[in-house]
Amino acid sequence: MLEKLPMFSDLSEELFSSLKAISKEISVKRGAILFSPGDVAHGFFAVLQGAIRVYRVCSKGREISLEIACAGHTFAEASLFSDVYRCCAQALKESTVCLIRKDAFLELIRNDAQFATAWLHFLSFKVIHLHQRIEELSLNPPGARIASYILFLAEIQNSQSVCLPAHRKSIATLLGMTHETFYRTAKELENEGTVRFDGPKIEIVNRSLLEALLE
């Protein structure tokens, strides 16, 4: 299933075989913790099925969502250069992930320039996305944050009818708002004829109106 991940889709058969040899599939139940701060970092993960929430707990005990990784996404890439994990990862639903072992992966990067270039390209895309998220959380009102996230899902799912990778409460936390604000703003977007919510599914009814919220 690793071949379905965009970052690995263009690898040669030889490199892909090497990648599979250093990977291990893990099934996790809903609510299971994959790792916590201080755990030995064995590598990073790719989500094959399900959804994983990556978060930190601040000094006051509040959980801060850093990422919700759904099928086709990777997480904990920074662990390649760390002895321990510095955040938590928890399965939001029954999931299958693939652990890509740290030392062996770094060896692949050192020994193959093409593979190293592909990895840098992937990381650059992720950095751009993180910069956009920081800007959205610091500057944009709730409606724009939700619109941006829906459009992001539409891009990666290649559809105008998208599916949330996790419960709305978790998505609200990811977008830096209370779940009450998320529900209220989502209802406003629906009443304006921009989107239609049906459980975890969201249909983009008027993409132009949705994109206008980001201007």
Side-chain angles (χ1 to χ4, degrees), residues 1-3 8 11-25 42 98-108 115:
M1 293 179 71
L2 272 177
E3 65 273 9
F8 300 136
L11 292 181
S12 67
E13 186 174 338
E14 181 181 357
L15 273 177
F16 188 74
S17 295
S18 298
L19 183 68
K20 288 186 70 174
I22 64 172
S23 305
K24 177 184 178 182
E25 281 194 23
H42 296 291
C98 188
L99 169 65
I100 301 171
R101 297 199 298 275
K102 177 173 66 174
D103 293 341
F105 188 82
L106 290 174
E107 190 67 21
L108 278 178
F115 187 80

Side-chain angles (χ1 to χ4, degrees), residues 160 192-195 203-212:
Q160 296 302 296
E192 292 166 0
T194 306
V195 294
E203 180 184 351
I204 298 176
V205 178
N206 192 320
R207 188 182 181 95
S208 296
L209 283 178
L210 199 64
E211 292 175 341

Side-chain angles (χ1 to χ4, degrees), residues 150-151 153-162 202 204 207:
I150 293 172
L151 290 169
L153 290 178
E155 179 181 352
I156 63 173
Q157 296 180 19
N158 193 29
S159 174
Q160 296 302 296
S161 181
V162 302
I202 305 173
I204 298 176
R207 188 182 181 95

Side-chain angles (χ1 to χ4, degrees), residues 7-8 19 22-24 26 34-36 38-47 52 54 67 73-89 97-107 109 119 122-123 126:
M7 64 173 293
F8 300 136
L19 183 68
I22 64 172
S23 305
K24 177 184 178 182
I26 302 172
L34 275 168
F35 56 77
S36 300
D39 288 352
V40 175
H42 296 291
F44 71 101
F45 296 82
V47 182
I52 306 294
V54 182
E67 180 180 10
H73 288 202
T74 59
F75 62 95
E77 296 89 347
S79 68
L80 291 173
F81 303 98
S82 176
D83 293 330
V84 298
Y85 294 109
R86 303 186 184 278
C87 53
C88 302
V97 300
C98 188
L99 169 65
I100 301 171
R101 297 199 298 275
K102 177 173 66 174
D103 293 341
F105 188 82
L106 290 174
E107 190 67 21
I109 291 176
W119 178 246
F122 167 76
L123 291 181
K126 193 147 191 177

Side-chain angles (χ1 to χ4, degrees), residues 49-155:
Q49 178 182 312
I52 306 294
R53 181 169 74 109
V54 182
Y55 66 95
R56 283 183 178 163
V57 180
C58 69
S59 57
K60 296 182 179 180
R62 177 169 165 259
E63 294 182 357
I64 301 173
S65 293
L66 304 175
E67 180 180 10
I68 293 178
C70 50
H73 288 202
T74 59
F75 62 95
E77 296 89 347
S79 68
L80 291 173
F81 303 98
S82 176
D83 293 330
V84 298
Y85 294 109
R86 303 186 184 278
C87 53
C88 302
Q90 181 181 35
L92 292 173
K93 57 178 73 174
E94 190 169 321
S95 304
T96 303
V97 300
C98 188
L99 169 65
I100 301 171
R101 297 199 298 275
K102 177 173 66 174
D103 293 341
F105 188 82
L106 290 174
E107 190 67 21
L108 278 178
I109 291 176
R110 283 191 289 266
N111 293 334
D112 192 285
Q114 181 186 1
F115 187 80
T117 300
W119 178 246
L120 285 173
H121 183 269
F122 167 76
L123 291 181
S124 296
F125 173 79
K126 193 147 191 177
V127 167
I128 290 171
H129 173 63
L130 288 174
H131 284 176
Q132 290 174 337
R133 184 172 171 233
I134 290 170
E135 180 180 352
E136 290 162 4
L137 291 178
S138 60
L139 298 176
N140 289 343
R145 296 182 212 173
I146 295 175
S148 177
Y149 188 68
I150 293 172
L151 290 169
F152 170 70
L153 290 178
E155 179 181 352

